[in-house]
Amino acid sequence: MLNRNSGKRDFTAGGRLTSPAGRIHFPGELLLRSAALFSALIIFALFGFLAYFSLPLFIEGRLGELFSLHWRPFQGQFGILPMIVGTLLLALSALALAYPLGLGICLFIHGLGPALLARPLLLLVQGMTGIPTVVYGFVSVFLLVPLLRNLFAHGSGFSLLAALLTLALLILPTIVLLIHSQLGQVVPALRLTATALGIARERELLYISLPASSYGLLAAAILGFGRAVGDTLIALMVAGNAARIPDSAFDSIRTLTAHIALVVSTDSQSTTYQSLFAGGLILFLTTAAINLLLHRIKSRACPSGDGS
Amino acid sequence: MEPTVTADKPFCLIADLHVAFHGRPVLKAIDLSLDSGGITVLLGPSGSGKTTLLRALNRLNEDFPGHLRSGRIQLRLAGELQEIHQPEISVTALRRQVGMVFQTPNVLPTSIQRNLLLPLKLVTDLDREEREARIEEVLREVHLWSEVKERLKESATILSGGQQQRLCLARTLALKPHYLLLDEPTASLDFKTSRAIEDLLLELQENYRIIAVSHSLRQARKIAGRIIVMKDGEIVHQLDREGIACPETLPQLLEELF
Ligand SMILES: Nc1ncnc2c1ncn2[C@@H]1O[C@H](COP(=O)(O)OP(=O)(O)O)[C@@H](O)[C@H]1O
Ligand SMILES: [Mg+2]
């Protein structure tokens, strides 16, 4: 407690919380710092680990092998290109479906729809976040997949289409809650202003509040994409897992995440692993890039964006 | 519509107006008749219902939860007194004619120019050229043009408090209202800027019917053609020009009020 007071004095005098020397001011701070250091170390270790094991591929000039179309481990071919394509196709198409839907739901909640329905709709979406992924996959396998099989009479039904429909549902709450929280900050202040100018609610929402929410709109797209890329279970359960580039949405695909899960659980040949690590590295870097991007748009949006 | 007793003089008639939020009465039995004769200034302790009375005139109270109203308000719209709550009146059209400027400047988080252009675009059918001409006109009207003409594309949030307040006023004027409701327009401004706004209001009273809330007797004395004193949701005093000029009434008021 005494130490905390000295921290406060620093704040008023120097205008920042820690002294320039970085001295530790209260006991909890040591704990926090160690925790932060520890997490950072784990991330670096993870990166080093992935890089170390996939390094041979890079330095031995076997990148062509890695990015080939063929995954035939027993013939010595370890191409993961189909999985990369599969991941991108699935994530982008799921986002293309979930994003407009999520945006629509948010606009509905914030005034395009009747106020009476707004709250139940929001509760429903919030409830969706609590459902374990495996339940989505499970329901999809028993309801959606047979439905698609019968409807389109094309293959087994385990397909890009089945996976993207399920995954869209999975990432929908992420998108809705992000846009909703941004609109929740922006709308109350702007609505009264707009109303007093005789601007109708729909127009205020579309032409004033939405443009003022660009950070949330972008963040929702980026995080939604990130969740879609990172998801393993849905793809594993309903996408069919054929390691090739699909001809249509009715074809089976295999994502990088599902690929890693599958190979690790069935096979343990050493050469196979290098390509797995490369896949892991790609996923790791994608996630890192997504986080960096979020950080950048946030620091750009916030100084001017939240002036009321 | 009922015929009004007084010919064409008053521009605002309020009869037995009650407003409550969540069952708590905020305005009680307000009766008021305003005719031309300068700026009407509402004075009174905080919480006495001044803002609520202003918001009753552009029906903005209806946007707050738990609002309940009874009584009549007539304003002169398109040349004749009209009950503003009758179903034929479009509330958005009413709000354009009865412009309001809030107590704290509420610029939109966008450029100076867009702050003015966007509302014009959304509620009028002016074309781009007319809109741009209009914004220059109103920026000149509030004496902001020379200060911002070089940086119309910059964010409105970087303007000073007084400039933001004048921008908000310009944004309201751009919609060509007949009425101006001003809620403590100088509350967040320093002395010098307040003076400038007061002078501006005195100019504007030629073209607009102005009803302003004020927090200072000095200001009220300077700009008012009529002073309405409120307390606990009721009108307790009305002063016309003679009353305002009379040296005894104002100090007496001061005592009663605070
Ligand atoms: N939207 C609202 N919801 C609930 N109470 C309100 C609302 N607006 C005003 N009030 C209440 O009405 C009373 C008068 O408020 P207001 O008109 O803002 O007073 P003034 O502008 O004179 O300070 C206050 O007690 C305030 O709490
Ligand atoms: Mg007030």
Side-chain angles (χ1 to χ4, degrees):
Chain A
M1 273 305 153
L2 276 175
N3 286 335
R4 197 178 279 178
N5 278 339
S6 76
K8 248 186 202 153
R9 204 167 51 231
D10 264 0
F11 181 74
T12 45
R16 48 182 152 176
L17 277 168
T18 51
S19 69
R23 262 183 300 119
I24 286 163
H25 288 296
F26 64 100
E29 195 174 329
L30 182 66
L31 200 68
L32 285 181
R33 286 192 176 193
S34 338
L37 192 69
F38 187 64
S39 329
L41 276 180
I42 287 188
I43 303 278
F44 276 110
L46 198 63
F47 178 74
F49 179 71
L50 289 170
Y52 176 79
F53 281 98
S54 47
L55 204 58
L57 284 174
F58 292 96
I59 45 181
E60 290 164 23
R62 282 154 57 201
L63 276 183
E65 215 171 287
L66 182 65
F67 291 110
S68 93
L69 280 176
H70 304 291
W71 174 260
R72 294 180 191 124
F74 296 109
Q75 292 154 35
Q77 288 178 308
F78 304 103
I80 56 168
L81 196 56
M83 284 58 118
I84 295 176
V85 172
T87 297
L88 283 178
L89 275 179
L90 178 58
L92 287 176
S93 57
L95 189 66
L97 180 64
Y99 194 83
L101 199 60
L103 184 60
I105 290 176
C106 287
L107 292 177
F108 190 92
I109 291 174
H110 281 274
L112 284 197
L116 215 61
L117 286 180
R119 184 115 199 100
L121 189 61
L122 186 64
L123 282 176
L124 181 74
V125 174
Q126 274 166 345
M128 283 172 71
T129 55
I131 302 175
T133 314
V134 70
V135 174
Y136 286 100
F138 187 77
V139 171
S140 194
V141 167
F142 285 97
L143 291 178
L144 184 64
V145 170
L147 182 76
L148 292 179
R149 181 167 51 221
N150 296 333
L151 212 59
F152 299 104
H154 188 292
S156 65
F158 290 95
S159 57
L160 173 59
L161 184 60
L164 90 83
L165 290 174
T166 317
L167 195 58
L169 214 56
L170 185 77
I171 65 174
L172 186 67
T174 308
I175 293 169
V176 169
L177 295 180
L178 267 165
I179 300 180
H180 165 69
S181 81
Q182 171 92 64
L183 281 177
Q185 285 179 14
V186 164
V187 166
L190 298 182
R191 175 152 297 166
L192 201 60
T193 303
T195 308
L197 289 166
I199 299 170
R201 171 167 299 190
E202 305 79 48
R203 303 200 128 206
E204 165 262 317
L205 204 52
L206 294 176
Y207 294 97
I208 298 178
S209 292
L210 214 50
S213 307
S214 55
Y215 167 69
L217 293 177
L218 248 175
I222 293 171
L223 271 181
F225 180 74
R227 269 213 81 181
V229 167
D231 175 76
T232 311
L233 210 53
I234 299 291
L236 195 62
M237 288 176 84
V238 302
N241 298 312
R244 56 183 213 83
I245 292 178
D247 296 322
S248 76
F250 304 111
D251 281 348
S252 162
I253 59 155
R254 184 189 287 195
T255 63
L256 267 179
T257 47
H259 177 65
I260 293 173
L262 280 172
V263 176
V264 168
S265 59
T266 57
D267 187 338
S268 50
Q269 286 176 340
S270 63
T271 20
T272 323
Y273 270 86
Q274 288 176 356
S275 102
L276 279 199
F277 282 112
L281 191 64
I282 292 173
L283 287 173
F284 182 91
L285 292 177
T286 313
T287 316
I290 282 172
N291 281 314
L292 275 178
L293 198 64
L294 268 181
H295 189 73
R296 281 207 45 186
I297 61 167
K298 184 168 196 169
S299 54
R300 238 193 326 156
C302 284
S304 63
D306 66 11
S308 52
Chain B
M1 216 186 59
E2 295 168 43
T4 42
V5 227
T6 30
D8 64 357
K9 255 193 109 192
F11 59 78
C12 172
L13 271 181
I14 300 180
D16 199 26
L17 176 69
H18 291 258
V19 172
F21 291 103
H22 300 293
R24 228 193 96 231
V26 172
L27 295 181
K28 306 162 198 161
I30 301 280
D31 286 300
L32 188 64
S33 162
L34 301 177
D35 47 41
S36 42
I39 298 175
T40 302
V41 173
L42 302 181
L43 277 176
S46 108
S48 58
K50 306 180 297 291
T51 300
T52 307
L53 181 55
L54 277 195
R55 286 181 178 158
L57 297 177
N58 66 350
R59 293 178 54 182
L60 203 58
N61 286 326
E62 293 170 16
D63 276 48
F64 293 89
H67 165 257
L68 205 72
R69 172 201 56 88
S70 70
R72 306 196 314 151
I73 300 177
Q74 288 171 289
L75 295 180
R76 191 169 294 282
L77 303 168
E80 53 178 326
L81 272 181
Q82 298 194 42
E83 164 60 44
I84 62 171
H85 300 100
Q86 60 183 329
E88 300 88 77
I89 295 268
S90 136
V91 66
T92 48
L94 171 77
R95 286 169 183 158
R96 269 170 247 157
Q97 296 190 53
V98 186
M100 181 163 187
V101 177
F102 294 167
Q103 183 169 352
T104 40
N106 53 341
V107 299
L108 302 172
T110 171
S111 73
I112 296 169
Q113 187 177 41
R114 240 181 118 59
N115 258 279
L116 298 166
L117 283 179
L118 196 57
L120 279 178
K121 198 167 157 181
L122 293 181
V123 306
T124 69
D125 42 21
L126 300 180
D127 63 31
R128 182 153 187 110
E129 247 170 54
E130 291 168 318
R131 288 199 297 265
E132 282 180 354
R134 176 79 61 91
I135 75 167
E136 180 175 341
E137 176 192 329
V138 291
L139 283 173
R140 284 186 192 282
E141 204 171 355
V142 301
H143 306 298
L144 199 57
W145 177 249
S146 59
E147 288 161 61
V148 301
K149 68 172 181 226
E150 304 290 326
R151 44 177 182 153
L152 289 172
K153 296 261 170 6
E154 283 173 38
S155 171
T157 50
I158 62 168
L159 294 174
S160 74
Q163 288 172 324
Q164 288 193 22
Q165 194 62 292
R166 278 181 285 156
L167 182 62
C168 292
L169 186 56
R171 185 175 63 194
T172 301
L173 295 183
L175 302 178
K176 298 258 181 231
H178 300 303
Y179 291 78
L180 269 183
L181 310 175
L182 308 170
D183 196 355
E184 305 198 29
T186 62
S188 51
L189 306 180
D190 61 51
F191 190 68
K192 209 173 144 236
T193 324
S194 301
R195 288 262 156 132
I197 299 252
E198 286 157 12
D199 293 333
L200 175 61
L201 296 183
L202 287 172
E203 284 172 33
L204 292 176
Q205 69 173 331
E206 304 295 323
N207 300 321
Y208 305 90
R209 296 158 182 156
I210 301 180
I211 303 168
V213 174
S214 176
H215 57 286
S216 107
L217 270 175
R218 180 201 60 77
Q219 181 175 67
R221 188 185 246 153
K222 174 174 169 188
I223 64 173
R226 174 202 327 272
I227 292 180
I228 310 275
V229 182
M230 296 188 65
K231 198 169 183 180
D232 296 330
E234 288 171 289
I235 293 178
V236 292
H237 278 291
Q238 288 199 48
L239 298 179
D240 54 14
R241 275 196 203 281
E242 286 140 44
I244 299 167
C246 171
E248 282 120 59
T249 41
L250 273 179
Q252 190 189 323
L253 258 181
L254 225 152
E255 226 163 81
E256 254 178 64
L257 277 177
F258 304 101

